Amino acid sequence: MTEIFGIPLPALLGQLLLGLVNGSFYAMLSLGLAVIFGMLNIINFAHGALYMMGAFFAWMGLEYLGLNYWVMLGLAPLAVGLIGIVIERTMLQWLYKLDHLYGLLLTFGITLVIEGVFRSVYGVSGQPYQVPELLTGATNLGFMILPNYRAWVVVASLVVCFAVWALIEKTSLGAKLRAGTENPKLVQAFGINVPAMVTLTYAGGVALAAFAGVLAAPILQVSALMGSNLIIVVFAVVVIGGMGSILGSILTGLGLGIVEGLTKVFYPEASNTVVFVVMAIVLLVRPAGLFGKEK
């Protein structure tokens, strides 16, 4: 059996795949955070709870309504996006001119409320969610066995992430979004409804989190704590990539997932801390992050 640095090749590739899957979730969640921070200037700590809510909505759709995975892959992000509109209109809109700390504290409070509701109803034990029949099984690539669902997660995440990046960076709508955050009065003078645009931006950001939650449901146990277990790592990814950097969040999320996977092979004890070690090193060398802009 072929070995690399004493590690069997199938084991190494398996961990790389696991790291790429984790990196896909990091990329999607950090992308949503970066969009919200870049456009609204809000540090959205509720992102993990809304990711959990997306996974729970998928499970509830199947358990109570008989709606399959593919239906909920569209409905769950839409439902969470609508909840995001309510949150933004009733609470966040009053904080845009205040210090970042106020937004962080408010969204942390929203997280506690959402998690508390789901914990009181469903407890903390995980709820199983079956892999959709179309994606069951695995493909033999010769050098490794590739689970079909994990391959789907990576492909779907990459397509969505780079589609969002292209929408924001390469289209006239994206240009209006960026202009609306930098000079809202000037943009409103051209007849563009900036408050509605900001609201939809927040809704889109949290819908990305919910989409990631639906993707994660068949891999992880759907539980009230699944978001809080992930959000700190995702914040580290955003900081490393650069706060508000769309492309930085995507590339950093994928890269750190792979780094984490390789660390589990060569030095498992450090796998839970390697992201924070990288964050400390990056901040020492480049405080604005790898793709962030110095002010």
Side-chain angles (χ1 to χ4, degrees):
M1 181 179 293
T2 304
E3 295 186 353
I4 298 178
F5 300 112
I7 306 296
L9 183 59
L12 180 61
L13 292 175
Q15 283 299 326
L16 277 175
L17 174 63
L18 182 61
L20 191 57
V21 170
N22 289 339
S24 299
F25 292 129
Y26 295 162
M28 288 201 68
L29 288 168
S30 60
L31 171 62
L33 279 175
V35 168
I36 291 170
F37 181 81
M39 304 299 172
L40 280 71
N41 210 28
I42 291 287
I43 301 174
N44 186 40
F45 202 87
H47 217 64
L50 295 166
Y51 156 81
M52 175 270 292
M53 189 180 290
F56 253 111
F57 281 178
W59 177 83
M60 291 162 68
L62 182 62
E63 185 76 9
Y64 301 136
L65 303 174
L67 300 177
N68 66 26
Y69 170 87
W70 301 107
V71 173
M72 294 311 298
L73 194 61
L75 288 184
L78 179 62
V80 173
L82 292 174
I83 292 172
I85 289 176
V86 174
I87 292 173
E88 194 279 336
R89 285 288 85 195
T90 58
M91 290 177 274
L92 293 182
Q93 68 162 324
W94 311 109
L95 304 180
Y96 295 146
K97 296 181 180 180
L98 302 179
D99 189 87
H100 293 153
L101 180 61
Y102 291 94
L104 177 62
L105 290 174
L106 175 61
T107 54
F108 179 67
I110 293 170
T111 297
L112 295 179
V113 171
I114 294 174
E115 287 187 353
V117 169
F118 279 92
R119 287 177 66 179
S120 65
V121 176
Y122 297 104
V124 295
S125 59
Q127 308 289 342
Y129 191 87
Q130 294 296 319
V131 172
E133 186 176 351
L134 184 64
L135 298 172
T136 55
T139 302
N140 189 345
L141 300 180
F143 54 88
M144 69 173 292
I145 304 298
L146 177 64
N148 294 334
Y149 187 77
R150 282 173 165 75
W152 154 251
V153 167
V154 173
V155 172
S157 299
L158 289 176
V159 169
V160 170
C161 285
F162 285 105
V164 172
W165 170 78
L167 175 68
I168 293 175
E169 298 292 339
K170 303 296 182 180
T171 66
S172 59
L173 175 61
K176 292 174 183 176
L177 287 172
R178 297 194 304 275
T181 59
E182 293 176 6
N183 196 332
K185 291 184 179 179
L186 179 62
V187 174
Q188 280 185 308
F190 286 93
I192 297 172
N193 190 335
V194 173
M197 193 166 60
V198 168
T199 300
L200 292 176
T201 298
Y202 185 79
V206 300
L208 283 173
F211 186 84
V214 179
L215 289 179
I219 296 177
L220 307 174
Q221 292 282 312
V222 179
S223 83
L225 301 179
M226 63 185 293
S228 59
N229 294 336
L230 191 62
I231 191 63
I232 301 300
V233 176
V234 173
F235 267 108
V237 171
V238 174
V239 170
I240 294 169
M243 293 293 289
S245 172
I246 307 298
L247 186 60
S249 295
I250 298 171
L251 298 180
T252 305
L254 293 170
L256 287 176
I258 293 173
V259 169
E260 192 178 63
L262 288 174
T263 305
K264 288 179 180 178
V265 175
F266 295 105
Y267 191 52
E269 295 84 353
S271 61
N272 292 329
T273 58
V274 63
V275 172
F276 303 103
V277 172
V278 173
M279 181 181 72
I281 295 171
V282 168
L283 290 179
L284 285 173
V285 177
R286 188 174 172 80
L290 295 176
F291 298 87
K293 296 179 180 179
E294 300 280 356
K295 293 185 178 180

